[in-house]
């Protein structure tokens, strides 16, 4: 039985080429060695969109050269996993700024297993994504409609509308987190 894949890395190059890495635990041994895997990747709409015709999808038959064994990080708990990377050369519809989910099927002499659950059904990093470095945001500016007061600064900035402007936050799925850093014009003696 194939295990649920987990998204471990996603990146987009400056030219927009997307690349996602998926990882899974080796299958449970049921007597017949796994010969190959098939990874199904679908554009994420919801986790339960099985019959959705709006979502782009592909099934990728992975060769042994496309699947790597991964040993656990020495600083963490030991583990053994299998890993593969999907990019635009395997699926031209893969696009930067989109979210994806994946399922896995193992094949052996006994036949193909059932599909695993979708990656979004687990508590692990569940959705694949391809976000490159965010675009440089416009500088914040002082709110001109509010009078200045001691100890109060009101700033405004242009809203973002696309994922490539946010560095990974999805403006359509709950908002964008901003980190604003500043200091007085005259540095404090302890700074």
């Amino acid at each position: 039985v194939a295990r649920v894949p987990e998204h471990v890395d996603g990146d987009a190059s400056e030219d927009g080429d997307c690349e996602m890495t998926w990882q899974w635990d080796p299958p449970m041994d049921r007597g017949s060695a796994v010969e190959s895997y098939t990874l199904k990747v679908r554009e994420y709409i919801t986790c339960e969109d099985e019959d959705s015709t709006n979502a782009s999808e592909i099934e990728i038959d992975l060769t042994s050269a496309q699947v790597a064994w991964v040993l656990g990080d020495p600083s963490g708990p030991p583990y053994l996993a299998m890993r593969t990377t999907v990019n635009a050369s395997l699926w031209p519809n893969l696009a930067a700024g989109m979210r994806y989910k994946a399922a896995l099927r193992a094949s052996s002499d006994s036949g193909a297993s059932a599909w695993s659950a979708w990656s979004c059904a687990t508590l692990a990093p569940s959705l694949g994504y391809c976000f490159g470095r965010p675009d440089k945001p416009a500088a914040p500016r002082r709110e001109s409609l509010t009078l200045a007061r001691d100890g109060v600064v009101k700033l405004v900035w242009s809203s973002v509308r696309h994922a490539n402007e946010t560095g990974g936050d999805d403006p359509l799925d709950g908002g964008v987190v901003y980190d604003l850093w500043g200091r007085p014009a005259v540095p404090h003696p302890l700074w």
Side-chain angles (χ1 to χ4, degrees), residues 19-24 35-39 58-70 81-91 104:
E19 186 173 276
M20 291 185 304
T21 301
W22 296 90
Q23 179 173 295
W24 61 94
E35 295 175 353
S36 65
Y37 290 94
T38 303
L39 183 70
I58 191 169
E59 291 181 15
I60 304 167
D61 293 322
L62 301 171
T63 66
S64 59
Q66 292 170 305
V67 177
W69 284 93
V70 179
M82 305 183 85
R83 183 179 283 185
T84 194
T85 298
V86 177
N87 59 31
S89 68
L90 292 172
W91 188 25
L104 192 68

Side-chain angles (χ1 to χ4, degrees), residues 113-176:
S113 72
W115 286 102
S116 72
W118 286 109
S119 58
C120 53
T122 70
L123 296 176
S126 57
L127 296 178
Y129 58 87
C130 292
F131 292 120
R133 179 178 295 171
D135 296 341
K136 181 179 177 181
R141 59 197 180 282
R142 187 172 135 322
E143 168 61 73
S144 61
L145 300 177
T146 304
L147 296 174
R149 296 182 292 150
D150 285 343
V152 176
V153 176
K154 188 169 185 178
L155 300 175
V156 294
W157 55 86
S158 301
S159 63
V160 295
R161 293 180 181 86
H162 304 286
N164 65 323
E165 298 174 309
T166 66
D169 292 335
D170 187 349
L172 303 177
D173 189 29
V176 178

